[in-house]
Amino acid sequence: MSKKIVVLNGSPRKNGNTSALVREFSKGAESTGNTVTVFFLGDMDIHECKGCFGGHSSRECPCVQKDDMDKIYPVVRESDIVVLATPLYYWNMSGQLRTAVDRLFALEEGDGNLLRGNGRASALLMAAEGNGFEDVVLYYDHLMEHLRWKNLGHVLAGGNGDVGDIEGKPELKEAYELGRAIQ
Ligand SMILES: Cc1cc2nc3c(=O)[nH]c(=O)nc-3n(C[C@H](O)[C@H](O)[C@H](O)COP(=O)(O)O)c2cc1C
C-alpha cells in the first residue's frame, strides 16, 4: 500500500547536498507509488519552542504559537513516514531541523499523544564535510525509541563540503533505494 511520506529538510541550501539526498529519496519513494511532501524549513517561519506545555494535540493548530508549523502539523498527523534530512552542523542536526522537532512536541500534548507510535516509521538523511555522524545518529536513534517509530535507517553522506560535491556519489543511490523500498 502506498505511504504518505513527509520530509523535513533542515538544510538552508536549496541545491545543497542534503537537498540532493532528499531529491533522490523522493524519486525512489514516488517510483513505487508513495506520496512525498517536502518542507524546506529554511523558507519557513518557525519559532523556537517556548516550553509552555500548553499544546493541544487534537486542535488543528496544536501549538500556542501561530507560525508555519501550522502547515507541518496536519501533514505529520496524516503521515505514515517522517524523514529527517539535515546537514551535520557541529556534530548535530541543523538548528532549523532541531527547532522544528521541538515544535512537534505539541502533537504529544493535552488531548492524547498523536505523534508517538501510530504505526509511523522514519529515516535520517544527512550530508557533511567530514564523517562525524555518531552523536547525531545516537540522538536520532533515541528519538525513534521515544517516538516508537520504526527506524528505517540512515543515509550518511560524508566528504561533501560544497554544493554539488555529492553528485555522482553512491549515497544518492542509497537514498533512492531507501525511498524505493517503501511500499
Ligand atoms: C555551521 C556549520 C557547521 C558545520 N559543522 C560541521 C561538522 O561538525 N562536521 C562536518 O563534517 N561538517 C560540518 N559542516 C559542513 C556541512 O555539513 C557540509 O558543508 C554539508 O555538505 C552541508 O550540507 P548542505 O549542502 O545540505 O547544506 C558545517 C557547516 C556549517 C555551515
Side-chain angles (χ1 to χ4, degrees):
M1 220 180 76
S2 69
K3 299 277 199 286
K4 288 183 195 147
I5 303 170
V6 53
V7 182
L8 303 181
N9 182 352
S11 169
R13 302 201 292 193
K14 276 208 178 102
N15 298 314
N17 301 307
T18 306
S19 298
L21 290 171
V22 171
R23 180 191 73 214
E24 293 305 310
F25 171 86
S26 301
K27 269 194 218 164
E30 286 167 349
S31 77
T32 45
N34 302 291
T35 57
V36 184
T37 306
V38 180
F39 288 104
F40 188 76
L41 303 176
D43 274 354
M44 300 175 79
D45 177 35
I46 298 176
H47 301 173
E48 297 84 0
C49 175
K50 290 189 177 300
C52 70
F53 291 87
H56 287 276
S57 57
S58 68
R59 291 188 187 159
E60 193 169 335
C61 304
C63 184
V64 299
Q65 302 191 68
K66 302 294 163 242
D67 59 16
D68 284 342
M69 278 305 291
D70 286 340
K71 297 176 182 161
I72 295 179
Y73 289 127
V75 182
V76 168
R77 211 188 252 134
E78 293 299 312
S79 70
D80 302 300
I81 296 170
V82 182
V83 174
L84 304 184
T86 176
L88 186 69
Y89 277 3
Y90 289 116
W91 303 278
N92 210 320
M93 53 176 61
S94 69
Q96 288 89 334
L97 181 59
R98 190 66 193 76
T99 297
V101 168
D102 279 351
R103 293 289 304 285
L104 289 178
F105 184 62
L107 289 171
E108 298 208 54
E109 289 183 288
D111 316 318
N113 197 320
L114 301 185
L115 190 66
R116 219 170 183 189
N118 291 301
R120 284 202 185 90
S122 175
L124 176 70
L125 307 177
M126 291 196 71
E129 190 163 16
N131 274 290
F133 296 105
E134 302 86 347
D135 291 356
V136 67
V137 166
L138 189 70
Y139 162 77
Y140 170 82
D141 289 349
H142 279 156
L143 185 66
M144 292 305 107
E145 281 171 33
H146 162 75
L147 291 173
R148 300 183 192 142
W149 293 355
K150 185 175 176 200
N151 188 341
L152 299 177
H154 327 117
V155 177
L156 307 173
N160 302 297
D162 296 333
V163 168
D165 278 356
I166 199 169
E167 296 305 333
K169 296 208 178 145
E171 288 84 0
L172 289 183
K173 177 92 178 131
E174 218 185 297
Y176 179 89
E177 292 301 337
L178 181 64
R180 199 169 71 101
I182 295 169
Q183 295 190 36

